[in-house]
Amino acid sequence: MPTDFETVHPRSDEPLSLRRQPGFLGFLLSRLFAVFAMQIQGVVVAWQVYDITRDPISLAYVGLAQFLPMVALLLPAGDLVDRFSRKRILQLSWGVQAVCSGLFLALSMSGTERVVLFYLVLVLYGCARAFTGPTLQSILPNIVPRSQLAQAIAINSSIMKVAVIGGPLLGGLLYAFGGSLAYAVCLGAYVLGLILLSPVPMRYAQQHEALKQQMLESTAWRRFTAGISYIRHQPIVLGAISLDLFAVLLGGVVALLPVYAQEVLHVGPEGLGALRSAIAVGALLMGLYLSTYGIKRHAGFVMFAAVAVFGIANLVFALSTIFWISLLAMLVAGAADMISVNVRTSLIQLATPDEMRGRVSAVNMLFIGSSNELGEFRAGTMASWFGAVPAALIGGVGTLAVVGVWARLFPALRQVDRFDEASLEAALKASPQARPSQDAVSR
């Protein structure tokens, strides 16, 4: 009989290349369509709400409407991701996001200027994203073997940047013809994503005996908070996640792009789409480099340096009144952010057992994914109080300050050389009595 965990025991000697792994290509394509929809919708909703209100605080509420439900639901979502079929959860969450696109389409066609209705749909969208994030971060190890996981992460990240680049550009162009067309495209992209995801097999999904026993003995609260407890005892992972958190919270300027596009740089929605896409172009170029060469030495130092460059690039953007300089600054910021994301993702995936990935990923999303929306609220609120340029300047300076403080608070992260060292330390902290051999680590 089928179970929630579609467990398959593949032959250990299968000489399949990654591109021939059953379901890997289908998963990439399904996620590509979903990310396209998310990126298009992000540009169109922000522009449409600001077009109606002409008030920067409205952009803060766009972020807050998504942030609050994510905070409330991420920990329970992580528990469900570890207990039930990750593919089915992803299908349900994408289905709800498709419904949100349909609701935005209906609001746009009605011509309403009641922005509260847009905020209500964003709340539902935030609820769905609370389940999407932990699922996407933990599902890839169920599709490909561990030996090919690092390569799969690099390929997945690079390909997704195609949607992150093309989505905002397409969103800006579509909005020139009206929001209704843009939302219809988003709805169609989500439906295509669901169709492509349906036949993807979860060949490496397993329900571990330890997790079964934990489900019987633990309370819901203990299961929800297990991810927090695990990360708290892994200083390298904790440092990497919290460094990214405050960098995005303070330094991100994405929420201010509509204001800069209209009032500082004097470009239309096409220019706004170009600015958002520049971030993704920088990330894509860096992702291609990392997928070929990777970070082999001084991983911790490289991460700190990348976050510092991210802060400097945002300072340049804050002060620029020339479009091509602003575009270049966003390109550099995207490249620096990709380095930080690569280090953080590799540390989490390699240091976390499969039966904990959903809950650890939920905590990661709580820190990182939610910080995007909270960062938008921070930027929008400061822009409303002090103006867009001071708000961006404060964020850039704050990012550089965080780099200095975290370098002192987390020396273990700063001193990480190779990723396998972090994996070994995580194993020792999780089970001090079991000291893995060097052969085990090298594998």
Side-chain angles (χ1 to χ4, degrees):
M1 293 180 63
T3 64
D4 285 327
F5 285 76
E6 302 160 80
T7 306
V8 178
H9 300 284
R11 289 174 52 192
S12 60
D13 59 345
E14 286 181 339
L16 294 178
S17 65
L18 184 59
R19 61 185 176 84
R20 293 177 56 207
Q21 283 292 336
F24 181 61
L25 179 59
F27 171 74
L28 288 182
L29 290 175
S30 68
R31 190 177 181 188
L32 189 64
F33 279 110
V35 175
F36 252 113
M38 182 180 69
Q39 292 297 321
I40 293 171
Q41 193 163 281
V43 169
V44 174
V45 171
W47 187 277
Q48 192 168 19
V49 168
Y50 186 71
D51 219 14
I52 294 171
T53 64
R54 296 289 174 171
D55 187 354
I57 195 66
S58 65
L59 299 175
Y61 295 144
V62 167
L64 190 65
Q66 299 172 75
F67 168 72
L68 291 180
M70 286 182 68
V71 169
L73 293 176
L74 268 173
L75 294 182
D79 178 53
L80 291 176
V81 167
D82 280 338
R83 296 170 60 195
F84 299 100
S85 168
R86 289 167 181 168
K87 187 173 83 171
R88 293 177 189 174
I89 293 174
L90 186 58
Q91 288 172 319
L92 287 172
S93 61
W94 278 355
V96 173
Q97 290 176 62
V99 170
C100 292
S101 295
L103 292 174
F104 281 130
L105 173 60
L107 290 175
S108 185
M109 292 181 66
S110 72
T112 182
E113 294 192 351
R114 297 175 60 191
V115 293
V116 66
L117 297 177
F118 288 87
Y119 296 146
L120 289 174
V121 178
L122 285 171
V123 169
L124 179 60
Y125 183 64
C127 291
R129 285 188 61 193
F131 291 87
T132 303
T135 308
L136 284 174
Q137 290 195 16
S138 56
I139 199 173
L140 197 56
N142 297 158
I143 299 173
V144 301
R146 181 179 177 86
S147 61
Q148 296 176 331
L149 183 58
Q151 184 185 5
I153 290 173
I155 294 174
N156 178 68
S157 299
S158 298
I159 291 180
M160 290 310 108
K161 292 305 174 185
V162 174
V164 178
I165 293 168
L169 282 173
L170 183 57
L173 292 173
L174 289 173
Y175 189 73
F177 296 96
S180 299
L181 177 60
Y183 294 129
V185 170
C186 292
L187 178 58
Y190 275 124
V191 171
L192 283 173
L194 286 168
I195 292 172
L196 290 167
L197 180 65
S198 181
V200 174
M202 302 289 104
R203 302 180 74 230
Y204 300 91
Q206 298 183 36
Q207 185 174 13
H208 297 266
E209 294 300 322
L211 181 58
K212 291 179 182 178
Q213 190 65 25
Q214 181 191 53
M215 289 166 59
L216 292 173
E217 297 178 354
S218 297
T219 64
W221 178 250
R222 288 185 63 185
R223 292 199 312 269
F224 293 169
T225 57
I228 296 176
S229 177
Y230 184 84
I231 291 174
R232 187 166 56 87
H233 292 92
Q234 307 291 339
I236 292 176
V237 178
L238 176 61
I241 290 176
S242 57
L243 177 62
D244 246 11
L245 161 68
F246 285 99
V248 173
L249 180 63
L250 295 174
V253 295
V254 172
L256 302 177
L257 292 184
V259 183
Y260 265 84
Q262 291 195 35
E263 300 178 10
V264 178
L265 302 173
H266 306 292
V267 294
E270 298 86 354
L272 170 63
L275 287 170
R276 290 195 62 155
S277 292
I279 302 173
V281 169
L284 174 61
L285 295 176
M286 182 56 67
L288 292 174
Y289 174 84
L290 293 175
S291 64
T292 303
Y293 298 102
I295 300 173
K296 298 180 174 61
R297 299 294 304 274
H298 312 297
F301 175 81
V302 168
M303 182 177 186
F304 278 101
V307 176
V309 171
F310 176 79
I312 293 171
N314 284 323
L315 283 175
V316 172
F317 176 84
L319 295 170
S320 171
T321 57
I322 301 173
F323 180 69
W324 70 266
I325 294 179
S326 301
L327 206 64
L328 182 60
M330 291 293 92
L331 189 81
V332 173
D337 186 56
M338 171 57 82
I339 296 174
S340 176
V341 169
N342 183 270
V343 174
R344 172 172 50 84
T345 303
S346 298
L347 288 172
I348 292 173
Q349 293 287 358
L350 293 173
T352 306
D354 185 65
E355 67 270 20
M356 287 288 297
R357 279 198 176 100
R359 285 165 289 177
V360 171
S361 296
V363 177
N364 181 47
M365 284 296 300
L366 186 63
F367 279 98
I368 304 302
S370 304
S371 68
N372 291 316
E373 282 69 39
L374 193 57
E376 290 179 7
F377 180 72
R378 189 279 312 169
T381 302
M382 284 191 169
S384 179
W385 292 346
F386 310 119
V389 174
L393 283 171
I394 292 170
V397 172
T399 300
L400 294 176
V402 165
V403 171
V405 172
W406 257 241
R408 293 183 62 86
L409 289 178
F410 295 94
L413 174 61
R414 189 182 70 245
Q415 295 165 6
V416 169
D417 188 17
R418 295 184 173 89
F419 287 121
D420 57 0
E421 296 175 3
S423 301
L424 174 59
E425 180 168 329
L428 291 175
K429 285 183 175 293
S431 181
Q433 294 81 13
R435 302 185 63 89
S437 67
Q438 187 60 40
D439 289 342
V441 174
S442 64
R443 286 195 297 272

